[in-house]
Amino acid sequence: MRIRMIVILALCLLAANFIADSQAGLQSASQTTTAESQLNKLPPELRDKGHQLLSQSEELRQANLAKELFRSNRAATIEFLLAVLETDPSARVRATILEEVKRFPHPQVRQALERHAASDADAKVAILALETLRYQDNFALAGLLQQRLEMARRSGDEQQYRLLAKEQERWISLVGGTMLPTFMQTPPPLFSLKAAGQPIRVLAFGDFGIGTPAQKEVAEAMLKFHRRTPFDFAITLGDNFYPKGMESPSDPRWKTWWEEMYAPLGIHFYASLGNHDWGLGDSPAAEILYTQKSPSWRMPATYYTFTAGPAQFFALDTNEISAAQLLWLEDELKKSQARWKIVYGHHPGYSEGQHRDNPRIIKELLPVLRDRADIYLAGHDHDMQHLKPEGKLHFFVAGSGGQLRPITPGPRSLFAKSARGFAVLEADANRVRVSFIDTNVNQLYEYSLMREGATATTSLSRLK
C-alpha cells in the first residue's frame, strides 16, 4: 500500500510538472507570438532596436529605448509603440510612451489615451493620460484664439488685438495645466532700486536649483566675490529649481536650495522663470508668492521691469512669450529714459551651446529688442557665452550656476566656455561691463559697452 501511494504521488507530481511546463511553454509561445506581432509593425531596419526594447528587463533602460526609437522615426514606430503600450507591465515604460506620443497626430493615440485614463492599473499613468487629453483639447481651442488674434493683427485694430492678447496669456496657462491666476502675470508699475546717478554692480546667474555640491560651490564663490566687491542686487535667469519647479511657497527645498545658499549675501534677487520652473502646475505661482515670505527672493510677477542706477532691467518669461508680454515690453522700452536697457530671461536667441539657436526667440522677441535694448542676458544652455551683437544689442549666456555642459565655440562666439560660475554686470553713466567669474573667483572674461556705442574693450582671451 505504501509503495502504491508513493507511485501515485510521484505520478501526480510528474503530471503537475508536465502541466506547469505546458502552461509555461504556452505562455512563452504566446509572448513570442505577441513580440513577433509587435515587431512586424516596424520596418525591417528598425526591428533590431525594437527587439532590444522588448527583451530589456531594466525599466529605465527600456523606457529610454522607447524614447530613442520613437524619436528616430515617429511615423514608422508609432504603431509598434502603441502596441507595446497595451502589453508592457512597467508603469514607467507606459508613462514614457504616453509622454512621447501625445503630440503625434495619429487616430489611435487618442483612443489609447482615453483607454489608459479610464483603466490603467497605475493611477499615475491614468492621471498622465487624462492630463494629456486635457492638453490636446485646450491646445486645439487655443489655436482658434490664435487665429482670431492674427485676424486682429492683420486688421490693425489695436484695441481688439490687446484684448485678445491678454486672453491668450490666460490660455497659455490653461493649455499647460498651470494654476496661475492672470493677476500674477500682470506686471507691477515700474519701481526703482537705486537712484539714477549712482553706479551699480549686479550678480546674474541661471540654471542652478539642484541642491548639489556644485550649486553650493558656485553660491560660495558668489559670497566670496560679494565680500570683496559688494553687489547691489542680483537677477536669476530661470530654471531656478529642478526638475519641475516648486510645489508650493512652503516647499522644504526653499530652505536648503535657496535660503541657505543665497540669503547669506544679504541682497535681493530678482528672479525670472525657466522651462523647469513651469513643470509643476503650481510652481510659477509658488515662486511668485514666496516673495512674501523671503528676505532675499523677489518675483513680483511672471514678467516685470525696474530701474537701478543708470539702467532699466526687464525680466521676461520666455517659456511662452505671449502677445501681451511682447506688447508690454515694446511699450516699456519705448517709455524708458534709462541710459542702459538690460533685458533678461531664460531662453537665448542665439547660442553655440547644446540647445543651439532658438527660432521662436529670434522670430518673436529679438525684433522687439533690436535698436531698443543694449543687452539680452539668458541662461538655458549650461555654460558661459558672449555672442556677436546685432546692431547695439549684445547677447550673453550665464547658465552654469549649478548645472554644466560642454560647449564648442562657433561662428557667433566672442567667448564660450564650459565653467560653473556667474556673471557680473557693472554700470555707470558711461559704461556697462559684463564679466564672467568662475568658482575660484577668477575672472574668465570681460566686455564693456561704452556710452558712444562705438568703442568697446575686452580683457583676457575672447575665446578660452
Side-chain angles (χ1 to χ4, degrees):
M1 178 66 74
R2 181 178 295 176
I3 293 173
R4 181 180 295 177
M5 289 297 294
I6 293 172
V7 170
I8 292 172
L9 288 171
L11 290 172
C12 289
L13 181 62
L14 286 171
N17 287 338
F18 176 78
I19 292 171
D21 289 343
S22 298
Q23 289 176 338
L26 290 171
Q27 184 178 8
S28 176
S30 175
Q31 290 174 342
T32 300
T33 302
T34 300
E36 289 177 353
S37 174
Q38 291 172 342
L39 288 172
N40 286 336
K41 297 179 184 297
L42 289 170
E45 65 273 15
L46 293 176
R47 287 175 187 168
D48 283 344
K49 288 185 177 180
H51 180 71
Q52 291 177 31
L53 189 157
L54 294 176
S55 60
Q56 177 60 238
S57 59
E58 203 280 310
E59 282 189 340
L60 178 60
R61 178 59 182 152
Q62 190 182 10
N64 287 335
L65 284 169
K67 186 185 300 183
E68 292 169 10
L69 184 63
F70 184 64
R71 294 182 182 184
S72 69
N73 190 328
R74 288 169 167 79
T77 60
I78 182 68
E79 291 190 6
F80 168 76
L81 286 172
L82 288 174
V84 174
L85 175 66
E86 298 308 313
T87 59
D88 200 285
S90 167
R92 185 172 201 163
V93 172
R94 297 198 303 277
T96 298
I97 293 174
L98 286 175
E99 282 281 8
E100 288 299 308
V101 306
K102 67 182 183 181
R103 292 183 177 87
F104 190 79
H106 191 283
Q108 293 180 22
V109 169
R110 187 170 183 91
Q111 296 171 13
L113 288 167
E114 291 175 349
R115 190 160 51 250
H116 285 272
S119 60
D120 195 281
D122 188 276
K124 290 183 179 179
V125 177
I127 291 170
L128 173 62
L130 189 63
E131 278 294 300
T132 302
L133 287 166
R134 179 204 53 74
Y135 168 85
Q136 289 184 345
D137 290 343
N138 283 349
F139 184 81
L141 293 172
L144 298 177
L145 176 59
Q146 182 63 38
Q147 291 179 31
R148 184 62 183 85
L149 184 68
E150 181 61 20
M151 176 180 167
R153 186 192 67 79
R154 289 196 304 267
S155 71
D157 190 329
E158 183 176 351
Q159 183 178 0
Q160 294 226 6
Y161 184 78
R162 287 181 178 271
L163 177 65
L164 291 162
K166 196 61 183 176
E167 186 64 15
Q168 181 208 35
E169 200 161 61
R170 187 172 73 90
W171 273 89
I172 286 172
S173 293
L174 292 174
V175 171
T178 307
M179 307 302 178
L180 184 66
T182 53
F183 64 80
M184 288 188 178
Q185 296 174 280
T186 303
L190 177 68
F191 58 95
S192 180
L193 303 184
K194 198 171 182 180
Q198 299 180 4
I200 57 170
R201 182 179 294 112
V202 184
L203 164 65
F205 63 108
D207 306 83
F208 52 93
I210 46 178
T212 62
Q215 181 189 359
K216 186 176 181 180
E217 184 182 19
V218 178
E220 290 173 347
M222 295 172 182
L223 182 58
K224 289 178 183 177
F225 187 99
H226 178 61
R227 285 172 174 166
R228 187 182 66 197
T229 46
F231 298 113
D232 292 291
F233 61 94
I235 59 177
T236 82
L237 307 175
D239 279 2
N240 306 309
F241 305 105
Y242 291 87
K244 294 184 176 182
M246 283 293 186
E247 291 186 358
S248 74
S250 301
D251 192 309
R253 290 175 298 155
W254 281 112
K255 181 177 185 296
T256 53
W257 291 16
W258 180 259
E259 298 296 349
E260 292 179 359
M261 297 273 192
Y262 307 109
L265 276 74
I267 59 175
H268 289 160
F269 293 72
Y270 290 85
S272 64
L273 293 166
N275 51 291
H276 283 274
D277 300 302
W278 277 87
L280 294 170
D282 293 338
S283 180
E287 295 193 29
I288 292 169
L289 291 173
Y290 189 68
T291 299
Q292 301 171 12
K293 303 182 66 171
S294 173
S296 57
W297 177 269
R298 295 292 181 270
M299 185 185 286
T302 52
Y303 54 91
Y304 55 97
T305 183
F306 58 91
T307 61
Q312 184 166 345
F313 291 79
F314 303 81
L316 303 184
D317 176 12
T318 61
N319 196 54
E320 291 286 351
I321 304 180
S322 66
Q325 184 177 183
L326 290 174
L327 285 168
W328 167 86
L329 178 60
E330 186 170 4
D331 289 345
E332 294 299 322
L333 284 168
K334 287 178 179 177
K335 290 189 295 185
S336 176
Q337 299 297 311
R339 173 62 191 92
W340 304 106
K341 299 173 184 63
I342 299 169
V343 181
Y344 66 98
H346 184 61
H347 297 85
Y350 302 114
S351 175
E352 300 294 350
Q354 185 184 67
H355 291 104
R356 316 303 295 177
D357 291 353
N358 187 317
R360 181 177 59 90
I361 298 294
I362 293 171
K363 178 183 178 181
E364 297 176 8
L365 178 59
L366 296 194
V368 178
L369 300 184
R370 290 188 189 102
D371 302 320
R372 295 188 179 99
D374 300 287
I375 288 174
Y376 178 55
L377 179 61
H380 198 46
D381 274 317
H382 303 161
D383 49 47
M384 298 176 174
Q385 298 183 62
H386 179 200
L387 299 113
K388 290 180 180 177
E390 290 191 349
K392 72 169 190 173
L393 180 61
H394 286 259
F395 304 99
F396 295 90
V397 175
S400 55
Q403 303 274 40
L404 191 65
R405 291 194 186 107
I407 184 172
T408 301
R412 296 193 70 96
S413 297
L414 297 176
F415 174 80
K417 190 172 182 66
S418 177
R420 288 189 181 89
F422 52 93
V424 179
L425 287 76
E426 298 169 283
D428 59 25
N430 298 313
R431 179 179 70 167
V432 59
R433 179 170 62 191
V434 181
S435 306
F436 289 121
I437 309 297
D438 68 11
T439 53
N440 294 316
V441 200
N442 293 323
Q443 180 176 282
L444 302 176
Y445 179 76
E446 174 193 300
Y447 190 93
S448 292
L449 286 72
M450 309 304 291
R451 183 177 177 85
E452 297 301 321
T455 304
T457 62
T458 61
S459 68
L460 307 185
S461 172
R462 283 182 176 269
L463 287 173
K464 195 171 183 177

